[in-house]
Amino acid sequence: MHSTFKIFVPFIVAGLTACSGINDSWEVKGGGYLKYSINGGDEITQELERNDVEIPFIRNSHHYLLIKVPMERSERKDQMNIMVNEPKLGKNGIIASYTWIQIQATTRAPLVGNDNYATIDQKDDIKWTATLNLQFKDCRQGVCNDSLPPITFKGRLQYWIAEDDR
């Protein structure tokens, strides 16, 4: 009997260790990530915490989706706000007055053009996903320059609503 116990102890310990961080997942605590590229460059993955995304009527009375990336948590020192008013499944317009980006701690760049949108393909009480297609004024030289082509931002949002907020 004693030798049987020695055989099963490693399996029990391995099982408990594998489950130890299960309550720390995005699916439980909320949050997710935004994968994006700028001007077709390398893909950047930015983790999003629970409070970085405001889902309509989850812990608020808002009717908009707001995605915020704070500079202090971005390895590249990028910072952005992206807002969609009254989001629905499918293609949604972007609210230009609340949407901007700072690339590598440069000057804040506003949205430009008329072909800026978020395509939401999942929005329920557990998870929201969207594809983002945006263009911003080029402000990377410390001043916004209208003669330069706009910066193209393409991204993919995956965000899980915290269990406590469902």
Side-chain angles (χ1 to χ4, degrees):
M1 179 114 162
H2 190 267
S3 64
T4 305
F5 183 71
K6 285 183 179 178
I7 292 171
F8 287 110
V9 167
F11 292 110
I12 293 169
V13 170
L16 292 173
T17 304
C19 295
S20 66
I22 199 159
N23 288 332
D24 292 335
S25 69
W26 287 319
E27 293 89 343
V28 174
K29 68 177 185 170
Y33 58 87
L34 176 63
K35 289 187 178 195
Y36 64 96
S37 67
I38 296 182
N39 290 337
D42 292 339
E43 187 174 80
I44 301 154
T45 300
Q46 176 63 50
E47 287 195 20
L48 299 169
E49 292 183 359
R50 179 182 184 188
N51 294 326
D52 292 341
V53 178
E54 293 182 28
I55 301 292
F57 306 109
I58 301 290
R59 292 183 293 131
N60 61 53
S61 60
H62 304 151
H63 53 84
Y64 57 79
L65 168 67
L66 177 61
I67 304 162
K68 303 175 285 188
V69 174
M71 188 180 302
E72 56 274 2
R73 286 204 334 271
S74 168
E75 287 181 27
R76 291 173 25 105
K77 301 297 179 209
D78 291 347
Q79 182 175 0
M80 66 190 80
N81 267 16
I82 302 167
M83 182 181 272
V84 177
N85 193 35
E86 298 182 22
K88 62 187 182 317
L89 289 174
K91 193 172 179 178
N92 292 265
I94 302 294
I95 306 301
S97 57
Y98 290 95
T99 302
W100 50 266
I101 191 169
Q102 283 180 270
I103 298 173
Q104 296 179 312
T106 59
T107 302
R108 185 179 288 189
L111 203 61
V112 295
N114 296 321
D115 197 25
N116 297 296
Y117 58 91
T119 303
I120 298 174
D121 46 45
Q122 181 177 356
K123 68 179 211 72
D124 53 43
D125 63 346
I126 295 173
K127 186 178 177 187
W128 282 52
T129 63
T131 301
L132 305 166
N133 292 285
L134 309 169
Q135 291 192 328
F136 296 95
K137 193 175 282 194
D138 193 331
C139 300
R140 293 176 290 181
Q141 304 303 319
V143 64
C144 296
N145 190 335
D146 291 330
S147 64
L148 293 174
I151 294 169
T152 301
F153 176 99
K154 295 199 179 284
R156 181 76 180 149
L157 169 72
Q158 299 275 335
Y159 181 79
W160 288 265
I161 297 171
E163 268 188 359
D164 295 343
D165 295 334
R166 295 181 195 158

